[in-house]
Amino acid sequence: MPSNKSVSEAPITQLLNCRILRDHRLQSEDLWVREGKILDPEKLFFDEQAYADEQVDCGGAIVAPGFIDVQINGGYGVDFSQASDDIGAGISLVAQKLLEHGVTSFCPTLVTSPPHIYHKVLPQIKVQNGGPHGAGVLGVHLEGPFISAKKKGAHPERYLRSFSCGDDAMADLTEVYGGLDNVAMVTLAPELEGSRWAVSELCRRGVTVSLGHSVANLTQAEEAVGHGASFITHLFNAMLPFHHRDPGIVGLLTSEHIPAGRSVYYGMIADGIHTHPAALRIAHRAHPKGLVLVTDAIAAMGLPPGRHTLGQQDVEICGLHVYVAGTQTLSGSIATMDMCVRHFRHATGCRVEDALEAASLHPAQLLGFSQHKGTLDFGSHADFVLLDDELNVKATFISGQQVWRETTQEEQPQT
C-alpha cells in the first residue's frame, strides 16, 4: 500500500510488459495510473516512496492513447440527425459500442437538417466524460447547413442555408441551430457571403471551425484560416479537386499564409472507399502532423446491408459502399476507427506511431484537449487502448479503468 509520504490513498495500477506510445515513439516502459491520471514513476518512487497496489501484465501489447472520432453521424441503428424524445439513449448505445473499437471520446455529428431538428436534438446532447457506460462526448459537430449546393454531397439541398448580408452571422446561426451549448465544431463553406463573420464569431466562442462541402479557392480558404478556421472536413471529398493553378482548400496543406503559431488539421476517411491510397499518401507526406482520421460513420455501421438513413435521406449499403438511395453519391461510411487506423497504416506505409497519433493526438490537438487527452504524458487522462502488432484492439481503458476487452473463444457464452 502507499506509504505515509503518498499524496493520495487511492490505489496505484502498474501496467507491465507493454510498449507505450509516448513522445512520438513506442517505448518499452511500464504505465502507472492513479485516480484516472498517468503518473510519473520517478516522482512516485522518490518523492512518495509509493508502489503499485495492482499489476497488469499486458503481454507485450502496444499501449496507445484512446482514439478520438470527431466526425461520426451515428451507428448501430442510431442516426444522430434524427429527432426523438430520448436522444441520450441513442448516444449512450453508440458510446458503449465504440469502446470495442478503441474509441474513448467522440463528437456526435449532425448533417444538414431543418432548424426544428437542431432545436430538438442539440439540447439533448451533453458533453460528458467517458467510463464503463461508454466513450466520452466532447461536443457536437454540426456539418452544414451553411455549405455549397455545388458540393453538397449527401446533404439535402432543400435545407442548405446561406448567411445574411452584413456582419450579424450569429443571428443566422442562432436561427438555425438554436443555442451553441455543447457544440465543439461547425463545418461551413468559406466562400459563402458573410462566412468570415461566422468564422470569427464561432472561434471567439470556442467552437472549432472546419472548411468543407465547398467550392472555395485557396485565397478564400486562407482568409478563413486567418479568421480562425483550423480544420478541413474529409479532405478531397466534397470540395474542388486539386488544380495546379489554384489548389483550392487542398492547398492549405502546404500554404505559406497560415498565421504564425497556427496549424491546419484535416480529416481523412481512410475506409478504402472515400480516398484512394495514393491520395492518402500524398496528403500524409505533404502534412503528416495535421492528419486526423475520421470514420464519417452512419447509422448503418455495425448493421447488415440494406436501406438505412442519414439525417433526412435514405441511403443504401452495397458491400462497403454507402450511397444516397437510387444514386451513386457516396454518403458517409460504415467503417470503424480501428479499421481506419489499420487501413491508413497499410495504405501509406507510415510508422505505427503515425497511424495511432492520427486517431488520438491530432484530433485532441485540433479540439484543444491535448494537455489531457490524446497523449500518455504524465498528468494526462488515463484513456488508452491495448493493441496487438496488427493494430487490433484488445482492451480499452477510460480513466485507468478497463471498460472493454476482447473475449477469447473459451470465454464466449455457449449456445
Side-chain angles (χ1 to χ4, degrees), residues 21-23 37-39 370-371 374-381:
L21 177 55
R22 183 178 286 153
D23 295 328
K37 300 287 185 66
I38 306 295
L39 296 176
S370 60
Q371 296 237 334
T375 175
L376 297 179
D377 291 344
F378 304 137
S380 64
H381 294 177

Side-chain angles (χ1 to χ4, degrees), residues 71 143 147-148 150-155 187-188 210-216 232-242 249-250 266-277 279-280 283 292 294-296 321-322 328-333:
Q71 186 176 6
E143 186 185 0
I147 59 176
S148 169
K150 295 179 180 178
K151 289 295 179 181
K152 64 183 185 298
H155 292 237
T187 291
L188 55 77
S210 184
L211 310 181
H213 288 278
S214 165
V215 294
I232 303 170
T233 295
H234 43 53
L235 185 76
F236 298 127
N237 289 278
M239 62 187 61
L240 292 177
F242 179 89
I249 290 177
V250 178
Y266 58 98
M268 299 214 74
I269 310 169
D271 62 350
I273 305 296
H274 280 77
T275 312
H276 192 280
L280 282 173
V292 174
V294 300
T295 62
D296 199 20
H321 293 74
V322 183
Q328 291 297 303
T329 300
L330 281 175
S331 178
S333 83

Side-chain angles (χ1 to χ4, degrees), residues 276-289:
H276 192 280
L280 282 173
R281 291 191 289 272
I282 288 170
H284 179 249
R285 293 172 188 176
H287 185 26
K289 293 183 178 180

